[in-house]
Amino acid sequence: MQKLPTGIQDFASLRQDNCLYVDKTPYLMLLMEESKYLFFSRPRRFGKSLICSTLRYLYEGRQDLFEGLYIHDKVNWETIKHPVVHIDFSNMNLKEMSLLENLQTQMAFICQELGIESTKQGGGADFQHILQHFGVRGQKVVVIVDEYDKALNDYLDNQAVFEEHRDILRGFFGLIKPNDKYLEKVFFTGVSKYGKTSVFSTLNNLSDISLNDAYVNMCGYTPEELTHYFVEHLASTAKRFNKSVPELLNEMRLRYNGYSFDGVHTLYNPYAVLCFFQAQEFKNFWFDTGTPYMLSLIHISEPTRLRRISYAVFCLK
């Protein structure tokens, strides 16, 4: 059986370690053809970070990582290459360092990855330096921002820090639009879209594809994907429970297949599925670790009901 990629968010690590991968690259083809500025929102532990990582390696031209996947023979691996700025807010330690310090540290590291010298003047200065460095050389940059709203969601109960972080993010993201001519693609992900807090006030051309019909199944596992990619794991786990595979699938459907982002298609949370196959026991894996704080504020305690809440709850517009 292929290894389960539980907790693995780096596409290269997943592929190089021969982990099971549910092929989501058809959606990346669509992303490439969409407008330049995109925003995509999903709850925590739904696979946003893996999508960001996969998109990064695609634009870096890492053809070897895409062998056997849908997209492999459908792109020009020479012309697709671009410098990539991948900013991951989920990796920032906001308890020990300020948001400004985290941005400076991460942008300095990105400069190092791209082979250019940091300005040492702050994250925003490095960000603009990267865009202009490659832009004047005729290379357009791809910007991927994962979990942009973590610095806000972690401080919903602290208005002073929330507003401080909001202003920092507004200034940092405000560098994007004036450097439009240096950009190939800009892709944001987050749990929520803070429209009314002016985080994106200087980036008013951001297209929200979160509820676009074409992308409702980009994160999460469809019933068809579950039965196609997890054949061996289903058989092994069914044997462990002394059930048939159809019986196991029915119980999994009742426990883990309650998410929907269009009210039509239903999805399994990937983290819950992977944890279930690994632990081989039924537990509320996503609810215990992935529930957004904003949802806990409305005091919904039943996991089954929570899984069926309209996705509109996650978009704070």
Side-chain angles (χ1 to χ4, degrees):
M1 283 191 296
Q2 279 188 294
K3 299 176 186 177
L4 294 169
T6 311
I8 299 178
Q9 299 180 348
D10 180 67
F11 180 70
S13 299
L14 185 154
R15 296 290 286 171
Q16 291 166 348
D17 203 25
N18 194 33
C19 291
L20 187 152
Y21 174 66
V22 175
D23 191 352
K24 296 291 187 176
T25 61
Y27 297 101
L28 301 192
M29 288 288 296
L30 295 177
L31 286 177
M32 292 169 61
E33 296 166 1
E34 285 280 359
S35 58
K36 182 185 289 189
Y37 298 93
L38 301 173
F39 174 81
F40 182 74
S41 177
R42 284 295 182 270
R44 292 184 64 242
R45 295 192 179 278
F46 247 90
K48 299 187 302 297
S49 294
L50 182 56
I51 287 290
C52 287
S53 176
T54 309
L55 191 63
R56 169 186 178 167
Y57 290 112
L58 178 63
Y59 273 115
E60 287 180 345
R62 290 292 304 274
Q63 183 177 0
D64 58 306
L65 298 177
F66 292 85
E67 288 277 354
L69 299 182
Y70 171 87
I71 205 169
H72 181 261
D73 60 352
K74 296 177 176 61
V75 298
N76 184 320
W77 290 99
E78 287 304 316
T79 59
I80 199 175
K81 287 184 180 179
H82 292 275
V84 178
V85 174
H86 183 189
I87 306 169
D88 187 356
F89 282 84
S90 68
N91 285 335
M92 293 185 180
N93 186 349
L94 296 170
K95 300 298 182 183
E96 296 183 7
M97 291 195 302
S98 70
L99 178 56
L100 283 173
E101 290 171 326
N102 272 285
L103 282 170
Q104 182 170 4
T105 300
Q106 191 160 144
M107 293 309 302
F109 179 73
I110 292 172
C111 282
Q112 185 179 11
E113 283 186 316
L114 294 172
I116 63 179
E117 190 173 348
S118 168
T119 64
K120 297 182 172 60
Q121 296 176 15
D126 275 346
F127 189 26
Q128 182 151 308
H129 175 54
I130 291 169
L131 299 181
Q132 294 180 350
H133 171 87
F134 288 105
V136 298
R137 289 163 176 76
Q139 295 178 274
K140 291 192 173 183
V141 177
V142 172
V143 175
I144 300 171
V145 182
D146 192 18
E147 299 274 356
Y148 88 94
D149 53 348
K150 182 180 187 297
L152 300 174
N153 292 337
D154 285 358
Y155 292 92
L156 288 173
D157 57 353
N158 189 326
Q159 184 176 356
V161 176
F162 179 94
E163 291 180 355
E164 176 191 348
H165 287 182
R166 177 200 60 195
D167 293 342
I168 291 171
L169 293 175
R170 180 169 52 199
F172 186 78
F173 298 147
L175 296 171
I176 292 177
K177 193 171 182 180
N179 290 285
D180 175 79
K181 62 182 178 181
Y182 302 135
L183 294 165
E184 173 69 19
K185 179 75 72 177
V186 176
F187 183 63
F188 277 84
T189 76
V191 171
S192 51
K193 186 178 180 183
Y194 285 92
K196 289 184 179 179
T197 57
S198 302
V199 173
F200 297 121
S201 61
T202 56
L203 196 58
N204 53 15
N205 53 346
L206 199 62
S207 297
D208 187 348
I209 60 169
S210 302
L211 300 180
N212 186 312
D213 287 346
Y215 299 101
V216 293
N217 295 333
M218 183 163 71
C219 287
Y221 299 151
T222 67
E224 294 77 18
E225 288 169 338
L226 180 68
T227 56
H228 177 76
Y229 288 97
F230 292 90
V231 174
E232 293 180 313
H233 292 281
L234 285 166
S236 172
T237 307
K239 184 177 181 180
R240 161 73 173 79
F241 283 101
N242 195 27
K243 296 176 182 287
S244 68
V245 170
E247 288 173 333
L248 178 67
L249 282 169
N250 186 56
E251 193 162 355
M252 289 183 68
R253 178 183 60 81
L254 292 174
R255 289 176 176 267
Y256 302 127
N257 185 226
Y259 305 92
S260 181
F261 300 101
D262 63 355
V264 178
H265 302 87
T266 58
L267 292 165
Y268 292 84
N269 174 264
Y271 178 75
V273 168
L274 295 174
C275 286
F276 168 71
F277 282 130
Q278 188 170 53
Q280 295 202 331
E281 62 176 320
F282 286 104
K283 291 175 62 178
N284 296 319
F285 297 105
W286 179 85
F287 184 78
D288 289 343
T289 65
T291 309
Y293 175 64
M294 64 186 72
L295 281 188
S296 69
L297 295 178
I298 59 177
H299 306 296
I300 295 179
S301 58
E302 298 176 48
T304 302
R305 287 178 59 211
L306 178 59
R307 291 201 304 271
R308 299 178 186 278
I309 293 176
S310 167
Y311 180 67
V313 173
F314 292 95
C315 295
L316 304 183
K317 293 186 178 179

